[in-house]
Amino acid sequence: MPLSEEQRQNMKKRRQKILNTAVYLFATEGYEGTTIKKIAEAADVSFGNVFTYFKDKEQLFYAAVVEPLEAISDQILDFNENAEDPLLELQEMVKKDIQLFAGEQNYLTLVVQVVGQYQRFPEPFDQLNQFHDHWREKVGRLIENGQHKGLLKKQASMPVATLYTSLLIGIRLNNTDTRYSDMWAQYITPAFQLFGPIHE
Amino acid sequence: MPLSEEQRQNMKKRRQKILNTAVYLFATEGYEGTTIKKIAEAADVSFGNVFTYFKDKEQLFYAAVVEPLEAISDQILDFNENAEDPLLELQEMVKKDIQLFAGEQNYLTLVVQVVGQYQRFPEPFDQLNQFHDHWREKVGRLIENGQHKGLLKKQASMPVATLYTSLLIGIRLNNTDTRYSDMWAQYITPAFQLFGPIHE
DNA sequence: TGGTTACGAACGATTACTCAATCGTTAATA
DNA sequence: TATTAACGATTGAGTAATCGTTCGTAACCA
């Protein structure tokens, strides 16, 4: 006797609500600081019901770190490393990434925790690390593209790519206020300098 | 009957040992993840003795965040914003800061936690924030110095200064391995690009 | 009625913190 | 110098509260 489609949808929504609440609480109160009781109350769900969707606290944390990553990684990797005009592609990438990082405060705070305490969270850290390597290498190839066309200063590409991703997570860390998203716009031009553009 | 000088020295050492242990454990295991019992064992001190030096866990955490800040802030602020050759001063500053951030893994991981979860730790965050403002403004003045001398590209100085401090904490976050400190050297030159140096 | 989700009281483990007892050192006395 | 009284650092068992997890029961739907 299978469940009705409506019920399966409701359960899916309920699971997602728990997960979103968990992301927020894990991000703002840490792993041990976040209790199942708090999550249940904030998600308007009974205490025991959390365990029907997630085996235990550790698995819930893992899901909170890894599941949102898929949605975000698609946006971050959405640029053409073989662009005809790599300078323009870089500039649009920077603009897009900065806006993205400005918006995603909760989740990125959670990411910062996992990366900062990677010894405590080896499994979710591994997932983040894999994505980070992909990302950095793709950025590195776009930089080399620009260098071959004589539009960027010649220098090792990977350190620059690493500095770029470091810069993004660093800005997120340093800007506690999300509200004034105008502030973020002023970072775009100077951040672009990092790649060593050659102006004629 | 006052304590002898030797005893007061021993107590000072004991306090410092507890504090150093606390920095390490808070950094690697988080606030709630770090128990007084763990700290006492790791510092080779009895459980109850921790409370003779620190009123409670919260005060110990505050001390672990704020006390090392004084030693580090002196090094970070050690540059001349009115230097005759601001380009050279900037370059040396970058080199020094990157080396400093490469070495101080434990404490900076703790800083990342406080900044990332600033709502949970308002008092220590406030201290970090005050120092950060000082630092950024001093860097900003050095940048303006360079711009007035025609050595740096004209642009708003504060966003660049903010990007610089963001970059530093971001590199620390992205490089989990301290051992290969050679790696850090390769960041110096590209990071310097951020300030928009004008080469003739 | 049969089967699955939702619920929350109960359980053992662990937490921060207290406190009465103990230990080590100091300084005055013999 | 040897003895001892006294003071404060040190100790860890004890306390109340809270944690993650389990599980029997209730509620819901096909």
Side-chain angles (χ1 to χ4, degrees):
Chain A
M1 204 173 301
L3 294 168
S4 71
E5 184 59 25
E6 190 192 346
Q7 264 221 316
R8 297 210 304 115
Q9 284 296 326
N10 281 341
M11 286 183 69
K12 209 168 180 178
K13 277 188 183 175
R14 192 173 270 245
R15 200 194 107 104
Q16 195 59 44
K17 192 173 183 183
I18 294 171
L19 195 69
N20 291 342
T21 308
V23 168
Y24 172 74
L25 286 176
F26 280 135
T28 52
E29 317 209 9
Y31 181 78
E32 327 278 350
T34 300
T35 68
I36 305 288
K37 192 184 166 195
K38 282 184 191 171
I39 296 174
E41 281 173 3
D44 204 29
V45 155
S46 81
F47 179 81
N49 194 207
V50 174
F51 293 94
T52 66
Y53 293 96
F54 302 94
K55 189 176 117 244
D56 52 25
K57 192 182 178 182
E58 192 184 328
Q59 199 188 78
L60 173 55
F61 185 78
Y62 181 83
V65 175
V66 168
E67 290 190 19
L69 179 63
E70 296 176 29
I72 288 184
S73 62
D74 285 346
Q75 300 180 62
I76 288 184
L77 296 177
D78 181 28
F79 63 89
N80 180 15
E81 61 190 79
N82 301 311
E84 284 300 312
D85 187 345
L87 229 56
L88 184 64
E89 190 75 16
L90 265 178
Q91 206 145 17
E92 284 182 355
M93 180 191 78
V94 172
K95 186 178 175 183
K96 184 197 58 182
D97 287 345
I98 285 186
Q99 282 171 349
L100 186 67
F101 271 64
E104 291 279 350
Q105 183 166 29
N106 283 339
Y107 178 65
L108 290 174
T109 302
L110 182 55
V111 168
V112 163
Q113 278 188 60
V114 175
V115 176
Q117 307 178 57
Y118 64 96
Q119 306 168 63
R120 279 183 86 206
F121 310 114
E123 291 95 352
F125 173 70
D126 209 55
Q127 297 293 317
L128 294 177
N129 218 20
Q130 278 184 33
F131 164 71
H132 186 231
D133 284 343
H134 272 311
W135 181 23
R136 249 186 337 190
E137 280 161 22
K138 192 172 179 186
V139 171
R141 286 191 294 269
L142 177 56
I143 292 171
E144 285 171 14
N145 176 7
Q147 290 181 351
H148 287 139
K149 290 199 168 75
L151 300 168
L152 296 181
K153 186 183 156 216
K154 294 264 179 191
Q155 56 184 334
S157 62
M158 283 314 291
V160 179
T162 303
L163 284 183
Y164 175 62
T165 64
S166 301
L167 188 72
L168 286 174
I169 197 73
I171 311 177
R172 176 20 93 208
L173 209 50
N174 271 348
N175 286 269
T176 48
D177 252 324
T178 325
R179 293 167 298 176
Y180 309 110
S181 56
D182 296 345
M183 274 186 16
W184 289 77
Q186 66 189 342
Y187 295 135
I188 298 173
T189 309
F192 183 63
Q193 295 288 324
L194 199 64
F195 300 102
I198 295 174
H199 302 101
E200 315 264 349
Chain B
M1 201 177 303
L3 294 170
S4 69
E5 184 59 26
E6 190 192 343
Q7 267 219 318
R8 298 210 302 115
Q9 284 297 326
N10 281 341
M11 286 183 69
K12 209 169 181 178
K13 277 189 183 175
R14 193 173 269 246
R15 199 194 108 104
Q16 194 59 44
K17 193 173 183 183
I18 295 171
L19 196 69
N20 291 343
T21 308
V23 168
Y24 173 73
L25 286 176
F26 280 136
T28 52
E29 316 209 9
Y31 181 78
E32 326 278 350
T34 300
T35 68
I36 305 287
K37 193 184 166 196
K38 283 184 192 171
I39 295 174
E41 283 173 1
D44 204 28
V45 155
S46 81
F47 177 83
N49 198 11
V50 174
F51 293 94
T52 67
Y53 293 96
F54 303 94
K55 191 178 115 243
D56 53 26
K57 192 182 177 182
E58 193 184 329
Q59 200 189 76
L60 173 54
F61 185 79
Y62 180 84
V65 175
V66 168
E67 292 191 18
L69 180 63
E70 296 175 29
I72 289 184
S73 63
D74 286 345
Q75 301 180 61
I76 289 183
L77 296 177
D78 180 28
F79 64 89
N80 180 13
E81 61 189 80
N82 301 312
E84 284 301 312
D85 187 346
L87 229 55
L88 184 65
E89 190 75 16
L90 266 178
Q91 206 145 18
E92 283 181 357
M93 180 191 77
V94 172
K95 186 178 175 184
K96 184 197 58 183
D97 287 345
I98 285 187
Q99 281 172 349
L100 186 67
F101 271 63
E104 291 279 349
Q105 183 165 29
N106 283 340
Y107 178 65
L108 289 173
T109 303
L110 182 56
V111 168
V112 164
Q113 279 188 59
V114 175
V115 176
Q117 308 179 58
Y118 64 96
Q119 306 168 63
R120 279 183 86 205
F121 310 114
E123 290 95 352
F125 173 70
D126 209 55
Q127 297 292 317
L128 294 177
N129 219 19
Q130 278 184 32
F131 163 71
H132 186 232
D133 284 344
H134 272 309
W135 181 23
R136 250 185 338 189
E137 279 161 22
K138 192 171 179 186
V139 171
R141 287 191 294 270
L142 177 55
I143 292 172
E144 285 171 12
N145 176 7
Q147 291 180 352
H148 288 139
K149 291 199 167 75
L151 300 168
L152 295 180
K153 187 183 157 217
K154 294 264 179 192
Q155 56 184 334
S157 63
M158 283 314 290
V160 179
T162 303
L163 284 184
Y164 175 63
T165 64
S166 301
L167 188 72
L168 286 174
I169 198 73
I171 311 178
R172 178 17 95 207
L173 208 50
N174 270 348
N175 286 270
T176 48
D177 254 323
T178 324
R179 294 168 297 175
Y180 309 110
S181 57
D182 296 344
M183 274 185 20
W184 289 77
Q186 66 189 343
Y187 295 135
I188 297 174
T189 309
F192 183 63
Q193 294 289 324
L194 200 63
F195 299 102
I198 296 175
H199 301 100
E200 314 264 348

